Amino acid sequence: MTLTKKIIIYMIIGAIVGVLLNLSLFTIETEEFDFKPLFKRVMSLENFEEVRNFTDSFIVTGVFLVVGKIFLYALQMLVVPLVFVSLFCGTTALKDPAMLGKLGGKTLVLYLVTTAIAISIAISFAYLINPGVGFHLPNDLEFTAKQAPSFVEVLINLVPRNPVQAMATGNMLQIIVFSILLGLAATMAGEPGKRIISFFEDFNVVIMKLVKMVMELAPYAVFALIAKVFAEIGVAAISNLSFYFFTVFFALIVHALLVYPLMLTTLGKLNPIKFLLKMRTPMTFAFGTASSNATIPVTLRTVTERMGVDKAVGSFSIPFGATINMDGTSIMQGVATVFIAQAYGIDLTLTQLGTVVLMATMASIGTAGVPGVGLIMLATVLTQVGLPVEGIGIIIGVDRLLDMTRTAVNVTGDCAVTCIVAKSEGKLDETVFNDPTAGDIKEAHAY
Ligand code: ASP
């Protein structure tokens, strides 16, 4: 069995185990959702509490937490060296700085356009479904907002004052700028440059080996990550916000299954079914980790080894996309803005809606792909259009599950744009793209 299949099977089992644990032990009884945990019905209260505490501390926040976190940290451990080294090698392989500029420009424009399309779809769906109309506002709402950086700050901060600090804090845009500059310098530095390049090429091979080693852990970790989330988030949390939840969910599905395939067919002349099938692994990872950044090692491997994108293009556009391209996140922001406005009984003007599209697109540029960052961006958007930021307190309960789903869409967008740009520059190997087994990892042969 390939690793991909194994990961997906473990993910499904994880979801089932999580839901069962939730229903039998952890589901919360609320006024709106009158459902007692199954074990509470068949056990004495004392036994039930004992079983619940044991399962919670030894399994859910024990084994699941440890296995999931170790894997997440291992992925994060790979991100900075992987991006730095592969982007350096990519730049030196391209040789031509003008080509880099052209690639960068195309990628940036497509990333921004897809984000703007995503948020427009989200706002339209929100006005069709009206998830916030008649929503009963709770009295005890509280949410303190962090601010997303302003556009000017993002622009200035593109230059890493201290590249070591950029790497230590995992500042993706700064790492990208530094790696490209260093790569360009190396190509211009004659013999010493060549020696450095050959060292980095060897380093790149070693890092890719490390990626494969970490990936061997993936099925068990994905199981643990997903089982934990599903055990903790019950149906009760969603039931109250089901209109909001499903509007976001529906818009995410439409964007992933209609917009990207349409773009791939029209702009890239590429088969969208083949693309989506190969997206299974990165989507599962993104879903399990809720972080496009942590998923970079998997996304990068998918576009280069499974989809045939030239390494130079992929190593630039994937980390770039993980930071600036968040279509799924902007979908959540579009729906959430309309939902909060409706819940508070505030009518949004057309200008305000335009501001939402613009702000959500801009906010995505400066924020990293880590769990929950979408809510920080949402706070900026709400403030800009004068809506109460406390409104975020209403939707926070279902945000983790939506975060997981939208991150899967975020990475799909990164890969779709990467393939289209690569194809337009003659940097996509279509025989690899069309071969369903290309780049599969079979565990037995992994090393
Ligand atoms: N978790 C998302 C990502 O990493 C960002 C967000 O929507 O919060 O892409």
Side-chain angles (χ1 to χ4, degrees), residues 136-193:
H136 189 66
L137 276 179
N139 306 324
D140 52 352
L141 277 180
E142 233 180 274
F143 184 83
T144 3
K146 282 194 214 144
Q147 277 292 321
S150 75
F151 188 60
V152 174
E153 275 167 350
V154 172
L155 218 56
I156 298 172
N157 281 330
L158 278 179
V159 183
R161 264 183 300 177
N162 178 347
V164 178
Q165 188 186 26
M167 291 188 198
T169 53
N171 186 321
M172 220 38 77
L173 288 182
Q174 293 189 345
I175 298 174
I176 291 175
V177 170
F178 182 65
S179 325
I180 292 179
L181 288 178
L182 199 69
L184 287 177
T187 48
M188 295 188 270
E191 272 313 307

Side-chain angles (χ1 to χ4, degrees), residues 91 94-109 180 184 316 320 421 425:
T91 311
L94 269 183
K95 291 193 177 71
D96 179 9
M99 175 74 165
L100 206 66
K102 205 163 142 214
L103 267 175
K106 270 192 190 174
T107 315
L108 178 69
V109 169
I180 292 179
L184 287 177
F316 162 71
F320 190 43
V421 172
E425 291 296 324

Side-chain angles (χ1 to χ4, degrees), residues 329-343:
T329 305
S330 68
I331 286 178
M332 175 280 286
Q333 294 178 77
V335 178
T337 310
V338 176
F339 172 78
I340 291 170
Q342 289 179 338

Side-chain angles (χ1 to χ4, degrees), residues 305-443:
E305 289 180 34
R306 307 206 65 201
M307 295 179 178
V309 171
D310 185 278
K311 288 209 168 70
V313 179
S315 59
F316 162 71
S317 97
I318 291 301
F320 190 43
T323 311
I324 72 156
N325 186 47
M326 295 186 191
D327 299 351
T329 305
S330 68
I331 286 178
M332 175 280 286
Q333 294 178 77
V335 178
T337 310
V338 176
F339 172 78
I340 291 170
Q342 289 179 338
Y344 279 91
I346 301 167
D347 278 333
L348 290 173
T349 63
L350 222 54
T351 324
Q352 278 173 311
L353 289 177
T355 314
V356 173
V357 176
L358 202 70
M359 282 309 298
T361 311
M362 300 300 259
S364 68
I365 300 180
T367 40
V370 294
V373 78
L375 292 185
I376 299 176
M377 291 154 65
L378 179 61
T380 315
V381 173
L382 292 179
T383 317
Q384 206 67 32
V385 289
L387 285 174
V389 175
E390 306 79 63
I392 295 178
I394 316 174
I395 55 172
I396 209 161
V398 289
D399 196 64
R400 177 70 190 189
L401 211 51
L402 286 178
D403 193 2
M404 294 159 78
T405 319
R406 68 186 181 243
T407 309
V409 176
N410 289 346
V411 300
T412 310
D414 300 343
C415 293
V417 168
T418 300
C419 286
I420 292 169
V421 172
K423 171 84 191 274
S424 76
E425 291 296 324
K427 300 253 174 222
L428 183 102
D429 184 341
E430 281 190 67
T431 34
V432 176
F433 185 92
N434 290 323
D435 174 3
T437 58
D440 262 350
I441 301 184
K442 309 254 188 315
E443 299 124 280

